[in-house]
Amino acid sequence: MTTYSPHYKGTQWKIAQVELDPETRTPAETVMEPNELDGPTAFWPDGTTSYVLHFKGGHTSWTVADEADTALRALEALRAGEEITPDALRAYLRDARQLETRIAALKEELLLLAREPGPNGRARLSFRDIGAELGQHHSTVAERHQRILDGDTARWRGWLTQNTERAAMYANGGELPRPPQPEREHETNVYDSQEESGKVLALCRCGWSGPAGTNIVIAARQGKAHEDSPDA
């Protein structure tokens, strides 16, 4: 990517209007190239460093990147002893607060994921492992996990999980959604008879129906026998 810095005063580089090629929409002129590239990191002649973030999460990921950029600018301004204008201060405070709440939601979603069954059927991490990474006692982590299951989720969890399968999880007092089951050819239930008032019968998805009767338990057994029948 072609770029330049208005702060660089060297003779090799110049400040210029960068025009885009009308066909390729890429810079038609290279004004400044980095001194060194190290993966996503680029070191520039004016002493600055840039780090390229790669994400596919659309606006959600972009928002975090944008607020993190504001936080870095605030950090640099503080360390350099710059005079920060009231408008800039408000922007720094606002984005730092919002980034903090987003990170809190992310941390708690990772906690939930760590305690969900992994490919081996067991929790991915123990509470002790999680506590070691978070710098908290394992009992504190377990207590917070239980409060989340009880409905005390992070304020911005909805923002984090929007348009994902996880959005429906932990929405019913901590009950995980059941994985979708393939539709079976034979599945019965007991219904009121439409032809004989006061009687019930078992009906199957395939169209089979049992005899009408007054006993719900017997009708349910007849339906179960139909499901289990090799001729069904």
Side-chain angles (χ1 to χ4, degrees):
M1 177 178 179
T2 302
T3 185
Y4 65 93
S5 169
H7 305 295
Y8 186 70
K9 304 301 182 182
T11 57
Q12 185 179 358
W13 312 108
K14 62 179 180 179
I15 299 173
Q17 181 70 36
V18 178
E19 296 182 359
L20 297 181
D21 183 284
E23 294 184 0
T24 64
R25 306 304 297 171
T26 58
E29 179 184 1
T30 298
V31 180
M32 187 169 76
E33 296 287 358
N35 289 336
E36 181 183 349
L37 292 174
D38 183 9
T41 308
F43 301 91
W44 300 91
D46 64 351
T48 60
T49 303
S50 60
Y51 190 93
V52 180
L53 296 176
H54 299 272
F55 51 85
K56 299 180 180 179
H59 183 73
T60 303
S61 299
W62 180 90
T63 300
V64 173
D66 185 58
E67 291 169 355
D69 178 73
T70 304
L72 282 173
R73 286 189 282 114
L75 183 150
E76 293 289 323
L78 286 170
R79 288 181 55 82
E82 297 177 5
E83 178 59 36
I84 305 175
T85 67
D87 285 345
L89 269 174
R90 281 190 285 269
Y92 291 165
L93 289 168
R94 180 186 62 250
D95 278 17
R97 170 184 59 81
Q98 294 189 158
L99 181 62
E100 184 178 30
T101 54
R102 296 186 206 278
I103 295 300
L106 174 61
K107 182 176 69 174
E108 294 203 347
E109 201 64 25
L110 291 172
L111 165 60
L112 291 172
L113 178 66
R115 291 303 301 165
E116 292 167 14
N120 61 4
R122 299 191 299 273
R124 292 178 171 88
L125 292 176
S126 68
F127 283 120
R128 290 185 183 276
D129 290 336
I130 300 169
E133 299 304 329
L134 295 179
Q136 298 177 340
H137 193 271
H138 65 86
S139 62
T140 302
V141 176
E143 290 171 1
R144 178 55 191 152
H145 184 263
Q146 186 58 53
R147 289 198 301 273
I148 297 173
L149 296 184
D150 292 338
D152 183 22
T153 55
R155 175 187 169 192
W156 283 21
R157 182 176 189 268
W159 165 85
L160 176 66
T161 61
Q162 61 184 319
N163 303 320
T164 71
E165 294 181 357
R166 297 191 63 81
M169 300 174 68
Y170 307 99
N172 301 311
E175 181 182 354
L176 293 175
R178 296 177 181 178
Q181 299 293 327
E183 188 175 277
R184 294 182 297 166
E185 180 183 359
H186 299 285
E187 184 173 353
T188 60
N189 251 314
V190 177
Y191 300 91
D192 290 330
S193 174
Q194 300 297 312
E195 298 178 355
E196 300 181 62
S197 178
K199 292 189 177 183
V200 296
L201 73 165
L203 297 176
C204 181
R205 176 179 288 148
C206 71
W208 172 90
S209 64
T214 57
N215 193 310
I216 296 176
V217 175
I218 292 177
R221 287 176 180 172
Q222 292 170 340
K224 185 65 169 62
H226 167 74
E227 290 181 22
D228 296 338
S229 171
D231 299 326

